[in-house]
Amino acid sequence: MTKKQKILSAIAAAVVLIACSLLLWWKPISAQMFDWFVADTLENQLEQTYQPVRQTGGEQEQEEPGVVMTEPFSILLVGSDQRKNEKARSDTLIYAVVRPMEPEVLLISIPRDTYTEIIGRDRMDKINHAYAFGGIKMTMDTVEHFLDEDLDYYASVNFQGLVNAVDALGGVKLPIEKDIANRDPNHEKFTIKANKPIYSGQEALYYVRYREDSDFNRTKRQQIFLQSITDQAIQLNQIDQIPELLNIMGSNFKTDMRPQMLTGLASQIMRGGDPKITSFTIAGEGEYIDGVYYDVPNEDDLEKAKHLIDQWMSPQGPEPAAAQGETANPVNTEAQSQVQ
């Protein structure tokens, strides 16, 4: 080799070595950048989102700032839908178990029309009505009673706040294979075109709101959206946008997890790799009771949900079969869309 060729070969080898090193340390570097440049600002902004609704929270709430979360914890994810002068209602209810050391997340979705006792009202009704009657506290009490499982925390977001947040992230990928059209004259009119590479915040909102097939499939779409927006948000080039996203969300996001816990958890997940998400939906049978439509929960699904939660909350973690989650009741992709 000539001297020039040797120099070029050395430069090429150095470039490859640097590229491989960056690839290997991409996650730790991004996590360190988060700790250095984002965490403090983020904690200040998260103060406005901190809104406890109970006298005591989960055990880990008492941990000192900066302590790594090691134990599994449960959190109720609530997506509320308030339009114009309407009263707010919970459109999405998900009992989540987070195993921060893995990291793995279990999502147990509860359809909005599920027939159950509303705690604090002493009556049977749709589970999403608990939010309209008594806000997040009555919703947590009702979900705990329904599943016979405790909740450590909650996080609620108004869907209207998601529109701008999704747009700020550059949109979101959604697996829409056929046009989805709302045609019922009593529903909001819209059409979402299929096979687009990216969907806007408004289109994502339509996707989770679409209701002209079944409550079960609607719940599945919400799970798909959560997975997609999570994938989008954890990309490295979105780290510096996190404070901006919180500003965009503003009063639309509330939780009783302390800011230091949230930033610490975010840093942990960055260092541990992309979180693995397992989903399960409690299916129900549609039934009219006193002229009102409800989803009467399937008892086998309800018991399986409780069993999954128990396993995921245990120190040992879920058995391999328990991590399959949604394989027991997969979404009917043909039924979730209406062809334009």
Side-chain angles (χ1 to χ4, degrees):
M1 293 178 67
T2 67
K3 184 177 181 180
K4 182 177 181 181
Q5 288 174 325
K6 290 180 180 179
I7 292 173
L8 290 174
S9 297
I11 292 173
V15 169
V16 170
L17 182 61
I18 292 171
C20 290
S21 298
L22 285 175
L23 185 62
L24 180 64
W25 295 101
W26 199 247
K27 285 289 182 181
I29 288 172
S30 65
Q32 195 63 57
M33 287 175 62
F34 176 86
D35 291 343
W36 285 348
F37 303 116
V38 178
D40 288 344
T41 302
L42 188 57
E43 285 175 11
N44 290 334
Q45 289 179 291
L46 282 168
E47 289 292 345
Q48 66 179 330
T49 73
Y50 179 62
Q51 188 171 306
V53 295
R54 291 175 164 179
Q55 292 297 319
T56 57
E59 293 180 2
Q60 299 194 49
E61 185 174 350
Q62 304 304 320
E63 291 184 345
E64 293 297 324
V67 174
V68 175
M69 298 177 69
T70 58
E71 300 300 320
F73 64 89
S74 59
I75 179 169
L76 181 64
L77 306 178
V78 180
S80 63
D81 195 5
Q82 187 171 20
R83 315 180 203 186
K84 297 180 180 179
N85 296 322
E86 292 182 357
K87 194 170 185 178
R89 60 196 174 200
S90 61
D91 208 56
T92 302
L93 283 175
I94 297 176
Y95 187 111
V97 177
V98 180
R99 298 185 62 83
M101 297 301 291
E102 275 77 359
E104 293 184 355
V105 180
L106 171 69
L107 301 178
I108 302 289
S109 292
I110 307 169
R112 63 199 296 274
D113 293 336
T114 296
Y115 189 63
T116 189
E117 181 182 354
I118 306 299
I119 303 303
R121 296 282 289 191
D122 297 324
R123 58 182 281 186
M124 300 291 289
D125 207 332
K126 296 181 180 182
I127 197 166
N128 73 321
H129 286 180
Y131 193 85
F133 293 145
I136 192 66
K137 183 180 185 305
M138 186 174 289
T139 301
M140 293 179 75
D141 292 342
T142 297
V143 170
E144 285 182 331
H145 178 76
F146 174 65
L147 290 172
D148 194 22
E149 301 283 352
D150 292 334
L151 279 163
D152 295 319
Y153 308 105
Y154 83 90
S156 70
V157 60
N158 190 318
F159 281 152
Q160 291 296 335
L162 284 177
V163 174
N164 291 337
V166 170
D167 288 337
L169 285 169
V172 64
K173 297 178 181 179
L174 295 172
I176 301 175
E177 299 177 355
K178 296 181 180 180
D179 290 359
I180 298 177
N182 244 17
R183 295 192 179 92
D184 191 307
N186 297 316
H187 295 163
E188 182 179 6
K189 297 294 187 300
F190 61 77
T191 298
I192 313 171
K193 292 296 182 181
N195 300 313
K196 294 176 63 174
I198 204 82
Y199 290 89
S200 68
Q202 188 61 57
E203 289 171 322
L205 182 61
Y206 288 153
Y207 180 75
V208 298
R209 275 182 175 171
Y210 178 68
R211 55 186 298 180
E212 295 185 5
D213 50 358
S214 70
D215 198 23
F216 179 83
N217 283 346
R218 177 188 174 101
T219 302
K220 280 300 301 171
R221 282 189 293 274
Q222 293 165 356
Q223 291 175 349
I224 291 169
F225 169 75
L226 285 176
Q227 176 70 72
S228 298
I229 199 66
T230 299
D231 292 343
Q232 189 79 350
I234 62 177
Q235 294 177 17
L236 177 64
N237 61 2
Q238 307 292 354
I239 289 176
D240 59 351
Q241 290 184 267
I242 296 176
E244 177 191 351
L245 291 173
L246 274 180
N247 275 336
I248 290 171
M249 294 300 293
S251 61
N252 290 302
F253 175 63
K254 296 295 180 186
T255 182
D256 59 351
M257 293 186 72
R258 296 187 181 279
Q260 295 85 352
M261 295 177 62
L262 291 172
T263 55
L265 184 61
S267 181
Q268 278 180 250
I269 290 175
M270 284 177 170
R271 286 180 166 83
D274 295 346
K276 178 183 176 182
I277 298 179
T278 299
S279 301
F280 181 77
T281 302
I282 300 173
E285 294 292 330
E287 185 177 333
Y288 282 90
I289 301 175
D290 297 328
V292 178
Y293 176 85
Y294 297 95
D295 271 326
V296 178
N298 180 291
E299 286 299 324
D300 289 340
D301 273 11
L302 186 55
E303 289 305 312
K304 179 172 182 178
K306 295 176 182 180
H307 184 62
L308 283 169
I309 293 169
D310 288 339
Q311 287 197 14
W312 281 69
M313 286 293 291
S314 70
Q316 295 77 21
E319 299 172 1
Q324 295 177 2
E326 199 55 65
T327 54
N329 48 13
V331 66
N332 182 344
T333 53
E334 291 295 321
Q336 80 168 19
S337 304
Q338 289 191 2
V339 181
Q340 174 87 347

